Amino acid sequence: MRAKGRTVTAVLGAALLIGCVSGPAASKGPESESKEADVKGRADGRVLVFSKTAGFRHDSIPEGIAAVKDLGAEGGFTVDATEDGAAFTSRNLAKYDAVVFLSTTGDVLNEAQQRAFEGYIQRGGGYVGVHAAADTEYDWAFYGGLAGAYFQSHPAIQPARIDVEDRAHPATSHLGEAWDRTDEWYNYRSNPRDRAHVLASLDESSYTGGTMNGDHPIAWCQNYQGGRAFYTGVGHTKESYADPAVRQHLLGGVRWAIGAAEADCRPENGYQPLFDGTEASLSAWKQAGPGSFTLGDDGTLTSSGGLGMLWYGDSGFGSYSLKLDWKVAGDDNSGVFVGFPVSDDPWSAVNNGYEIQIDATDTPDRTTGSVYSFQSADIKKRDRVLNPPGEWNTYEIRVEGERLRVYLNGVKINDFTNTDPARSLRDGHIGIQNHGADDQVSFRDIRIKELPEKASTRSAPPGD
């Protein structure tokens, strides 16, 4: 799956034998700990749509229920719908992988029902909040934390522009960098950014009535007390549920909530873009070795030919968290290099740095998530959280001193410490591999956060 666009560059003719064997992504399943086993893991999902109202009632609720049922038929999960709080018992909720609060308002559950729902989430259940789900249960602190923010006010229905901040999550991966649509735009009593992972935010300059001082999240996700929570502020109007982009947005949110797709939903703040999808941001990058990367109209870099590497030349880094989104089309191969010195010879990265492998069938120390040829990933953890070809994955590569940790879709799958005196992770550059003519791997949103330097050590400190 190659993006169409201009070729960035192709220089040098040396062959680079890095990560030589390719293969399909491993089978995946929901990210789960043992406590989730009683709620997740069935071959087919089951979702409960709850639309009880004790305050304002949206006339779009029937369209919303119908849309979720259609999405269930499309996405392979069963959908039940109710407005009866009596459905919230431990026994009944255990049948469901997620509960969708569809424009609920006011106090809709009694104390026993609330306790049952809290236990359900803590055992690994999923929550999807749509629009007025934020106008619900103001006196129930657990629910407020789960939803992420409470409704405060809204202006008149009007067009607005949404800035899509995360284009790897299944709820937003189908969208461009901006999403223009008409809806009723909520202001919230607090900003969830420090507690949840923001997927999209409103551009308050594109409409009137925004009150969140220019930082206005409108869709987010989080791992909450053992469960998964996704919220979106769209969905006031009947027309919303006939909009293909909204339907895909909801489908992606439900798929993530039930564990059918993976994403990094940890809060993310303080990162600076190294590649933001624009040609201008590529001016700091250099191609080493043959082949190239192609910049698509959707802001995606896709590898072409090789074997070579595109590397960031403006500066090296010593202590940092590097995040990037990647996707393979099928049996494709690539990797991310860290900790190598300035050089137009890609072998410099091989001999002096480390490669975090992307999708190759080989020995465990040379497959996805491995520090290539040095240390395997935790294969069981990796397989649980690895999305298959055609879907986006997110890496966090965290380097502190000589310690290198790899997170896949928010889960730590590798923890490696350099002990080779000829190499050092304390200062070096980063790069992405273009592996060969048959390997086309796509990258988006490469960003970095520099971290405080830690005391020198050759052994990994305990914990994270």
Side-chain angles (χ1 to χ4, degrees):
M1 185 180 294
R2 292 183 59 183
K4 295 182 179 179
R6 65 177 291 275
T7 298
V8 177
T9 184
V11 298
L12 299 180
L16 175 60
L17 300 176
I18 309 169
C20 297
V21 184
S22 299
S27 61
K28 65 163 290 298
E31 172 195 347
S32 62
E33 301 296 337
S34 59
K35 64 184 175 181
E36 294 178 299
D38 58 344
V39 180
K40 293 184 180 293
R42 291 184 292 274
D44 55 342
R46 191 170 183 181
V47 171
L48 177 65
V49 178
F50 183 55
S51 55
K52 180 179 178 180
T53 56
F56 181 83
R57 184 168 183 85
H58 286 73
D59 62 5
S60 61
I61 287 175
E63 284 77 9
I65 294 171
V68 177
K69 288 184 175 181
D70 288 346
L71 296 174
E74 174 186 340
F77 53 89
T78 301
V79 178
D80 298 327
T82 187
E83 298 207 347
D84 188 356
F88 284 71
T89 66
S90 296
R91 181 182 294 274
N92 189 57
L93 290 173
K95 296 186 285 187
Y96 297 100
D97 295 280
V99 180
V100 179
F101 278 61
L102 179 66
S103 283
T104 50
T105 54
D107 296 332
V108 291
L109 298 178
N110 63 32
E111 290 187 7
Q113 294 159 359
Q114 291 175 2
R115 287 194 299 272
F117 188 60
E118 288 183 15
Y120 164 78
I121 294 295
Q122 291 161 355
R123 290 190 298 274
Y127 164 87
V128 175
V130 179
H131 193 56
D135 188 23
T136 301
E137 294 288 356
Y138 289 95
D139 297 323
W140 181 15
F142 175 91
Y143 181 85
L146 181 71
Y150 283 121
F151 163 80
Q152 182 178 61
S153 63
H154 65 78
I157 296 172
Q158 60 189 298
R161 173 160 294 186
I162 298 173
D163 294 323
V164 181
E165 298 188 26
D166 183 334
R167 298 175 64 208
H169 193 284
T172 46
S173 61
H174 64 293
L175 299 171
E177 294 179 352
W179 185 20
D180 296 312
R181 64 178 319 275
T182 297
D183 215 316
E184 180 184 77
W185 304 114
Y186 277 8
N187 299 305
Y188 301 95
R189 297 185 182 187
S190 61
N191 190 320
R193 189 176 294 277
D194 289 338
R195 306 180 301 277
H197 179 73
V198 175
L199 302 174
S201 57
L202 286 171
D203 178 354
E204 289 193 334
S205 70
S206 69
Y207 74 107
T208 60
T211 64
M212 297 186 69
N213 299 314
D215 184 11
H216 195 142
I218 198 65
W220 53 82
C221 61
Q222 61 175 320
N223 298 298
Y224 187 79
Q225 293 195 20
R228 298 184 179 201
F230 167 82
Y231 172 83
T232 179
V234 307
H236 173 83
T237 65
K238 293 180 179 180
E239 293 78 12
S240 295
Y241 298 100
D243 182 341
V246 172
R247 290 168 72 96
Q248 186 63 37
H249 179 57
L250 291 175
L251 177 59
V254 172
R255 290 187 68 237
W256 177 79
I258 67 175
E262 299 299 327
D264 188 346
C265 282
R266 297 172 298 165
E268 183 175 315
N269 295 293
Y271 286 79
Q272 300 298 317
L274 299 182
F275 167 68
D276 63 6
T278 65
E279 187 171 344
S281 68
L282 286 173
S283 62
W285 293 77
K286 301 178 181 181
Q287 180 73 27
S292 62
F293 281 82
T294 300
L295 177 59
D297 294 337
D298 63 350
T300 296
L301 280 176
T302 300
S303 64
S304 177
L307 301 156
M309 179 181 65
L310 184 68
W311 62 285
Y312 187 78
D314 264 14
S315 65
F317 303 96
S319 185
Y320 56 89
S321 168
L322 173 70
K323 286 192 174 184
L324 70 164
D325 305 328
W326 59 268
K327 178 176 69 172
V328 295
D331 184 4
D332 300 300
N333 191 325
S334 183
V336 182
F337 280 92
V338 297
F340 58 90
V342 171
S343 177
D344 286 332
D345 179 3
W347 279 104
S348 177
V350 179
N351 296 326
N352 300 286
Y354 289 102
E355 179 189 6
I356 292 81
Q357 179 68 3
I358 290 175
D359 199 67
T361 299
D362 205 327
T363 57
D365 64 340
R366 299 185 177 194
T367 59
T368 300
S370 68
V371 180
Y372 186 81
S373 81
F374 287 90
Q375 182 167 293
S376 171
D378 182 318
I379 300 299
K380 289 183 178 179
K381 283 187 177 180
R382 184 204 63 187
D383 286 357
R384 282 204 300 266
V385 298
L386 177 63
N387 288 324
E391 296 185 18
W392 287 93
N393 291 276
T394 298
Y395 266 162
E396 180 192 2
I397 300 167
R398 180 179 287 260
V399 173
E400 295 176 280
E402 298 295 349
R403 185 184 186 190
L404 186 160
R405 285 170 286 177
V406 181
Y407 295 78
L408 175 63
N409 295 322
V411 174
K412 186 174 71 174
I413 61 169
N414 209 334
D415 194 336
F416 169 79
T417 298
N418 171 48
T419 57
D420 182 349
R423 302 172 190 255
S424 178
L425 288 164
R426 293 183 180 280
D427 185 24
H429 289 260
I430 65 170
I432 54 177
Q433 182 190 49
N434 55 293
H435 184 266
D438 296 327
D439 297 299
Q440 294 160 358
V441 179
S442 297
F443 295 88
R444 277 182 180 171
D445 195 14
I446 304 175
R447 64 267 193 201
I448 199 164
K449 179 168 67 174
E450 296 195 68
L451 304 173
E453 293 286 347
K454 291 193 173 183
S456 177
T457 179
R458 280 283 178 175
S459 61
D464 287 342

